Amino acid sequence: MSDTKAKIFLDVNRTVSEISPLIFGGFAEHMGRCIYEGIYEPASPHADEDGLRTDVMAALRELNFSIIRYPGGNFLSGYNWLDGVGPKENRPRRRDLAWRSIETNQFGTNEFMKFAKKIDTQPMLGVNLGTGSIADASALVEYVNGTPGTYFSDLRVSHGYREPYGVKYWCLGNEMDGPWQIGHLDMDEYARKAREAAKMMRWQDPSIKLILCGSSNTQMPTYPEWDRVALETCYNLVDYQSLHYYSMNETDDTPSYLAQSYQFEDNLNTLEGTLRYVKAKLRSKHDVFLSWDEWNVWFKNREMDGNWTEAPHLIEEVYNLEDALVVAQWMNVFLRKSNVLKIACLAQIVNVIAPILTTTDSLVKQTIFYPFMYFSRYARGNALDVFTQAPMTETKQYGGVPSLDVSASHDPATGQGAVFIVNRSLTESIPVDVVWQTGKPSAVEAVYQICGTDVKAANTFENPNQIVPQKIDGVQMDGDTQTLNVPPLSFTVISYKG
Ligand code: AHR
């Protein structure tokens, strides 16, 4: 192989795991303009009969979210869910201490359920383990999933929602390891509270799946000890352990930033080891998987003070080309680690560190919109254990790294496949041979590419199409091989027919 050429080898028998559809999730928090002015804005010309933004919902449908986590985030830890149900005129206006904002409670659990149904996604609800009690958590499960005939399920019926919702996924608090969290707990306290909440919630509805709070990020002094302690106390009662992380390029070191897939993979490997350790220590037959239920790029906009206003503009990060390439790598890692990662939620879905920004009458799709859209559209069936040979790129933080970051999927039921390629080199265009060693699909269906020469180029309301995907023609099956060129700073998706 010449040292400027790359080869990607695919074998449909060499798989990592089945891809969990829940890795294409999102996160909606009562923060800034995510809910109010994002999802819900009765005054917008785009509002439907429920006050939900039809233009936003159309864009979210393109992203094909399989699950959305709600209502927070740090907001969750001070939230009384009873404030957000029942007649809207009776709902209290409250101070939200997490974001120093005013919460009107005009949007709550039932409104969220309606929204989730309209965009055809599955809800993932959080219970407040900060100021909330284990009894509040249990009551919420009864309110949401209980059959009519008892107090909280009848309360739901009296609010106009007779049928139990059957919500399956429930988070046991949010980032409880963080001193910034309302009602922050130390690891033993959290572990015990989560265990007791889990018991009550399961007694309410044995069919639910529970997500335990893991470390907020890898920089926490308690990482990964927190994860071990929480798991050892709750292992057999829970189904997933959460992790959160936000990527940054604070020193403007683009080559290192574009190699952050190493960090994401390392984080998952450490926690995979922790899960295995605890399972072995407890001699358990049960499996717990990982839920990366907050992930994204976030470092440019740190405005987190709502100054006691409604729907303030908080952390409305503007994303550029390099951010989109990091998001694409993140999703490559999700596929490569699909044996242990079963849920992931892009944080957040509208306005607040989000793929979509809105004004009252318009929206813009940010650069990160597109990689997410292609993964959620094409990554189906099994993640393949890809073998890649590629030229190297130098980085300050990680040393030499391969210029290409790659993942691939193949659906044995349909024969459909997809390959996702990030070229992280700032300068080198790379000729690539994609070689199907077994299970060659019948034809290339389409090739899409996002690229540019300016890593800082972003889509704005004034210029919304700076970074949009291009369709690339002429890539064909030549025997088992397809040859194409991936430009520097690019993300390429090849989708195949079965
Ligand atoms: O997504 C924004 C905030 O980041 C969330 O509220 C919190 O969980 C995390 O620290």
mmCIF file of all heavy atoms in Angstrom, residues 76-101:
data_model
loop_
_atom_site.group_PDB
_atom_site.id
_atom_site.type_symbol
_atom_site.label_atom_id
_atom_site.label_comp_id
_atom_site.label_asym_id
_atom_site.label_seq_id
_atom_site.Cartn_x
_atom_site.Cartn_y
_atom_site.Cartn_z
ATOM 1 N N LEU A 76 -33.688 18.958 36.430
ATOM 2 C CA LEU A 76 -34.421 17.833 37.033
ATOM 3 C C LEU A 76 -34.298 17.820 38.558
ATOM 4 O O LEU A 76 -35.263 17.515 39.268
ATOM 5 C CB LEU A 76 -33.890 16.512 36.456
ATOM 6 C CG LEU A 76 -34.413 15.218 37.068
ATOM 7 C CD1 LEU A 76 -35.893 15.048 36.763
ATOM 8 C CD2 LEU A 76 -33.640 14.014 36.537
ATOM 9 N N SER A 77 -33.111 18.185 39.054
ATOM 10 C CA SER A 77 -32.833 18.001 40.476
ATOM 11 C C SER A 77 -33.533 19.010 41.391
ATOM 12 O O SER A 77 -33.426 18.906 42.617
ATOM 13 C CB SER A 77 -31.325 18.015 40.730
ATOM 14 O OG SER A 77 -30.746 16.962 40.010
ATOM 15 N N GLY A 78 -34.262 19.980 40.784
ATOM 16 C CA GLY A 78 -35.069 20.879 41.612
ATOM 17 C C GLY A 78 -36.529 20.856 41.194
ATOM 18 O O GLY A 78 -37.324 21.675 41.655
ATOM 19 N N TYR A 79 -36.874 19.917 40.318
ATOM 20 C CA TYR A 79 -38.200 19.922 39.671
ATOM 21 C C TYR A 79 -39.203 19.077 40.439
ATOM 22 O O TYR A 79 -38.937 17.910 40.747
ATOM 23 C CB TYR A 79 -38.051 19.372 38.251
ATOM 24 C CG TYR A 79 -39.305 19.345 37.408
ATOM 25 C CD1 TYR A 79 -40.096 20.482 37.246
ATOM 26 C CD2 TYR A 79 -39.684 18.183 36.720
ATOM 27 C CE1 TYR A 79 -41.231 20.455 36.433
ATOM 28 C CE2 TYR A 79 -40.811 18.154 35.904
ATOM 29 C CZ TYR A 79 -41.571 19.289 35.769
ATOM 30 O OH TYR A 79 -42.689 19.266 34.962
ATOM 31 N N ASN A 80 -40.385 19.689 40.694
ATOM 32 C CA ASN A 80 -41.499 18.922 41.240
ATOM 33 C C ASN A 80 -42.439 18.627 40.076
ATOM 34 O O ASN A 80 -43.094 19.532 39.553
ATOM 35 C CB ASN A 80 -42.208 19.757 42.313
ATOM 36 C CG ASN A 80 -43.387 19.018 42.916
ATOM 37 O OD1 ASN A 80 -43.767 17.935 42.447
ATOM 38 N ND2 ASN A 80 -43.988 19.598 43.943
ATOM 39 N N TRP A 81 -42.511 17.362 39.676
ATOM 40 C CA TRP A 81 -43.265 17.017 38.465
ATOM 41 C C TRP A 81 -44.742 17.390 38.585
ATOM 42 O O TRP A 81 -45.414 17.625 37.576
ATOM 43 C CB TRP A 81 -43.086 15.537 38.120
ATOM 44 C CG TRP A 81 -43.647 14.561 39.129
ATOM 45 C CD1 TRP A 81 -42.987 13.977 40.155
ATOM 46 C CD2 TRP A 81 -44.992 14.064 39.192
ATOM 47 N NE1 TRP A 81 -43.823 13.146 40.862
ATOM 48 C CE2 TRP A 81 -45.059 13.176 40.282
ATOM 49 C CE3 TRP A 81 -46.141 14.269 38.431
ATOM 50 C CZ2 TRP A 81 -46.232 12.509 40.634
ATOM 51 C CZ3 TRP A 81 -47.312 13.605 38.765
ATOM 52 C CH2 TRP A 81 -47.347 12.734 39.867
ATOM 53 N N LEU A 82 -45.235 17.488 39.835
ATOM 54 C CA LEU A 82 -46.648 17.846 40.024
ATOM 55 C C LEU A 82 -46.934 19.283 39.563
ATOM 56 O O LEU A 82 -48.067 19.615 39.222
ATOM 57 C CB LEU A 82 -47.036 17.688 41.501
ATOM 58 C CG LEU A 82 -47.308 16.241 41.928
ATOM 59 C CD1 LEU A 82 -47.292 16.123 43.453
ATOM 60 C CD2 LEU A 82 -48.622 15.724 41.347
ATOM 61 N N ASP A 83 -45.886 20.144 39.532
ATOM 62 C CA ASP A 83 -46.064 21.517 39.045
ATOM 63 C C ASP A 83 -46.448 21.555 37.570
ATOM 64 O O ASP A 83 -47.029 22.536 37.096
ATOM 65 C CB ASP A 83 -44.761 22.322 39.181
ATOM 66 C CG ASP A 83 -44.420 22.647 40.618
ATOM 67 O OD1 ASP A 83 -45.302 22.492 41.497
ATOM 68 O OD2 ASP A 83 -43.269 23.061 40.867
ATOM 69 N N GLY A 84 -46.069 20.527 36.837
ATOM 70 C CA GLY A 84 -46.209 20.555 35.374
ATOM 71 C C GLY A 84 -47.370 19.724 34.860
ATOM 72 O O GLY A 84 -47.398 19.392 33.669
ATOM 73 N N VAL A 85 -48.302 19.334 35.709
ATOM 74 C CA VAL A 85 -49.470 18.570 35.240
ATOM 75 C C VAL A 85 -50.748 19.255 35.709
ATOM 76 O O VAL A 85 -50.734 20.063 36.632
ATOM 77 C CB VAL A 85 -49.439 17.089 35.734
ATOM 78 C CG1 VAL A 85 -48.256 16.335 35.151
ATOM 79 C CG2 VAL A 85 -49.400 17.003 37.269
ATOM 80 N N GLY A 86 -51.862 18.904 35.048
ATOM 81 C CA GLY A 86 -53.149 19.505 35.412
ATOM 82 C C GLY A 86 -53.398 20.781 34.638
ATOM 83 O O GLY A 86 -52.610 21.171 33.765
ATOM 84 N N PRO A 87 -54.531 21.464 34.962
ATOM 85 C CA PRO A 87 -54.916 22.654 34.197
ATOM 86 C C PRO A 87 -53.793 23.686 34.175
ATOM 87 O O PRO A 87 -53.222 24.013 35.218
ATOM 88 C CB PRO A 87 -56.139 23.182 34.970
ATOM 89 C CG PRO A 87 -56.634 22.028 35.764
ATOM 90 C CD PRO A 87 -55.462 21.143 36.040
ATOM 91 N N LYS A 88 -53.500 24.198 32.988
ATOM 92 C CA LYS A 88 -52.338 25.084 32.841
ATOM 93 C C LYS A 88 -52.471 26.354 33.667
ATOM 94 O O LYS A 88 -51.471 26.882 34.167
ATOM 95 C CB LYS A 88 -52.144 25.445 31.365
ATOM 96 C CG LYS A 88 -51.584 24.298 30.551
ATOM 97 C CD LYS A 88 -51.151 24.757 29.176
ATOM 98 C CE LYS A 88 -50.503 23.581 28.458
ATOM 99 N NZ LYS A 88 -50.056 23.904 27.110
ATOM 100 N N GLU A 89 -53.724 26.824 33.811
ATOM 101 C CA GLU A 89 -53.897 28.085 34.550
ATOM 102 C C GLU A 89 -53.582 27.927 36.043
ATOM 103 O O GLU A 89 -53.338 28.915 36.736
ATOM 104 C CB GLU A 89 -55.302 28.682 34.314
ATOM 105 C CG GLU A 89 -56.501 27.837 34.748
ATOM 106 C CD GLU A 89 -56.889 26.738 33.748
ATOM 107 O OE1 GLU A 89 -56.102 26.451 32.822
ATOM 108 O OE2 GLU A 89 -57.978 26.141 33.921
ATOM 109 N N ASN A 90 -53.579 26.687 36.521
ATOM 110 C CA ASN A 90 -53.275 26.479 37.952
ATOM 111 C C ASN A 90 -51.796 26.171 38.210
ATOM 112 O O ASN A 90 -51.391 25.956 39.344
ATOM 113 C CB ASN A 90 -54.081 25.293 38.504
ATOM 114 C CG ASN A 90 -55.562 25.559 38.433
ATOM 115 O OD1 ASN A 90 -55.973 26.721 38.302
ATOM 116 N ND2 ASN A 90 -56.365 24.502 38.483
ATOM 117 N N ARG A 91 -51.009 26.089 37.159
ATOM 118 C CA ARG A 91 -49.623 25.660 37.369
ATOM 119 C C ARG A 91 -48.771 26.836 37.873
ATOM 120 O O ARG A 91 -48.897 27.949 37.375
ATOM 121 C CB ARG A 91 -49.033 25.108 36.059
ATOM 122 C CG ARG A 91 -49.787 23.883 35.566
ATOM 123 C CD ARG A 91 -49.073 23.249 34.409
ATOM 124 N NE ARG A 91 -49.933 22.289 33.727
ATOM 125 C CZ ARG A 91 -49.629 21.679 32.597
ATOM 126 N NH1 ARG A 91 -48.455 21.922 32.017
ATOM 127 N NH2 ARG A 91 -50.462 20.828 32.043
ATOM 128 N N PRO A 92 -47.917 26.547 38.842
ATOM 129 C CA PRO A 92 -47.152 27.640 39.461
ATOM 130 C C PRO A 92 -46.001 28.144 38.591
ATOM 131 O O PRO A 92 -45.376 27.376 37.863
ATOM 132 C CB PRO A 92 -46.587 26.978 40.725
ATOM 133 C CG PRO A 92 -46.546 25.519 40.421
ATOM 134 C CD PRO A 92 -47.670 25.235 39.464
ATOM 135 N N ARG A 93 -45.772 29.452 38.675
ATOM 136 C CA ARG A 93 -44.555 30.053 38.125
ATOM 137 C C ARG A 93 -43.487 29.904 39.196
ATOM 138 O O ARG A 93 -43.691 30.309 40.334
ATOM 139 C CB ARG A 93 -44.810 31.555 37.949
ATOM 140 C CG ARG A 93 -44.959 32.066 36.572
ATOM 141 C CD ARG A 93 -45.344 33.537 36.658
ATOM 142 N NE ARG A 93 -44.177 34.412 36.673
ATOM 143 C CZ ARG A 93 -43.474 34.721 35.610
ATOM 144 N NH1 ARG A 93 -43.794 34.241 34.432
ATOM 145 N NH2 ARG A 93 -42.443 35.528 35.696
ATOM 146 N N ARG A 94 -42.377 29.320 38.845
ATOM 147 C CA ARG A 94 -41.374 29.071 39.877
ATOM 148 C C ARG A 94 -39.999 29.536 39.438
ATOM 149 O O ARG A 94 -39.717 29.639 38.249
ATOM 150 C CB ARG A 94 -41.269 27.571 40.167
ATOM 151 C CG ARG A 94 -42.483 27.003 40.837
ATOM 152 C CD ARG A 94 -42.039 26.030 41.918
ATOM 153 N NE ARG A 94 -43.169 25.224 42.330
ATOM 154 C CZ ARG A 94 -43.863 25.451 43.445
ATOM 155 N NH1 ARG A 94 -43.554 26.448 44.253
ATOM 156 N NH2 ARG A 94 -44.872 24.677 43.764
ATOM 157 N N ARG A 95 -39.145 29.745 40.438
ATOM 158 C CA ARG A 95 -37.739 29.989 40.177
ATOM 159 C C ARG A 95 -37.049 28.654 39.915
ATOM 160 O O ARG A 95 -37.151 27.738 40.742
ATOM 161 C CB ARG A 95 -37.091 30.629 41.396
ATOM 162 C CG ARG A 95 -37.464 32.076 41.554
ATOM 163 C CD ARG A 95 -36.731 32.677 42.727
ATOM 164 N NE ARG A 95 -36.584 34.112 42.502
ATOM 165 C CZ ARG A 95 -35.585 34.841 42.940
ATOM 166 N NH1 ARG A 95 -34.628 34.299 43.662
ATOM 167 N NH2 ARG A 95 -35.519 36.124 42.697
ATOM 168 N N ASP A 96 -36.373 28.548 38.790
ATOM 169 C CA ASP A 96 -35.547 27.367 38.536
ATOM 170 C C ASP A 96 -34.129 27.715 38.976
ATOM 171 O O ASP A 96 -33.441 28.518 38.340
ATOM 172 C CB ASP A 96 -35.592 27.003 37.043
ATOM 173 C CG ASP A 96 -34.414 26.134 36.632
ATOM 174 O OD1 ASP A 96 -33.907 25.399 37.503
ATOM 175 O OD2 ASP A 96 -33.993 26.203 35.460
ATOM 176 N N LEU A 97 -33.708 27.104 40.076
ATOM 177 C CA LEU A 97 -32.416 27.461 40.670
ATOM 178 C C LEU A 97 -31.222 26.936 39.868
ATOM 179 O O LEU A 97 -30.111 27.439 40.017
ATOM 180 C CB LEU A 97 -32.342 26.941 42.107
ATOM 181 C CG LEU A 97 -33.400 27.495 43.076
ATOM 182 C CD1 LEU A 97 -33.222 26.878 44.456
ATOM 183 C CD2 LEU A 97 -33.336 29.014 43.171
ATOM 184 N N ALA A 98 -31.461 25.932 39.036
ATOM 185 C CA ALA A 98 -30.342 25.387 38.258
ATOM 186 C C ALA A 98 -29.838 26.410 37.248
ATOM 187 O O ALA A 98 -28.634 26.568 37.063
ATOM 188 C CB ALA A 98 -30.764 24.101 37.547
ATOM 189 N N TRP A 99 -30.750 27.102 36.590
ATOM 190 C CA TRP A 99 -30.359 28.023 35.513
ATOM 191 C C TRP A 99 -30.792 29.454 35.809
ATOM 192 O O TRP A 99 -30.830 30.281 34.908
ATOM 193 C CB TRP A 99 -30.932 27.547 34.165
ATOM 194 C CG TRP A 99 -30.562 26.122 33.873
ATOM 195 C CD1 TRP A 99 -31.400 25.065 33.756
ATOM 196 C CD2 TRP A 99 -29.230 25.599 33.704
ATOM 197 N NE1 TRP A 99 -30.694 23.907 33.516
ATOM 198 C CE2 TRP A 99 -29.360 24.202 33.485
ATOM 199 C CE3 TRP A 99 -27.939 26.160 33.719
ATOM 200 C CZ2 TRP A 99 -28.258 23.366 33.276
ATOM 201 C CZ3 TRP A 99 -26.848 25.319 33.512
ATOM 202 C CH2 TRP A 99 -27.013 23.953 33.298
ATOM 203 N N ARG A 100 -31.144 29.749 37.072
ATOM 204 C CA ARG A 100 -31.593 31.088 37.483
ATOM 205 C C ARG A 100 -32.585 31.661 36.468
ATOM 206 O O ARG A 100 -32.469 32.754 35.952
ATOM 207 C CB ARG A 100 -30.383 32.030 37.643
ATOM 208 C CG ARG A 100 -29.642 31.771 38.953
ATOM 209 C CD ARG A 100 -28.413 32.641 39.188
ATOM 210 N NE ARG A 100 -28.476 33.974 38.642
ATOM 211 C CZ ARG A 100 -28.831 35.065 39.310
ATOM 212 N NH1 ARG A 100 -29.174 34.980 40.586
ATOM 213 N NH2 ARG A 100 -28.826 36.233 38.736
ATOM 214 N N SER A 101 -33.602 30.830 36.178
ATOM 215 C CA SER A 101 -34.602 31.204 35.177
ATOM 216 C C SER A 101 -35.993 31.102 35.787
ATOM 217 O O SER A 101 -36.157 30.511 36.857
ATOM 218 C CB SER A 101 -34.528 30.248 33.985
ATOM 219 O OG SER A 101 -33.222 30.233 33.461
#
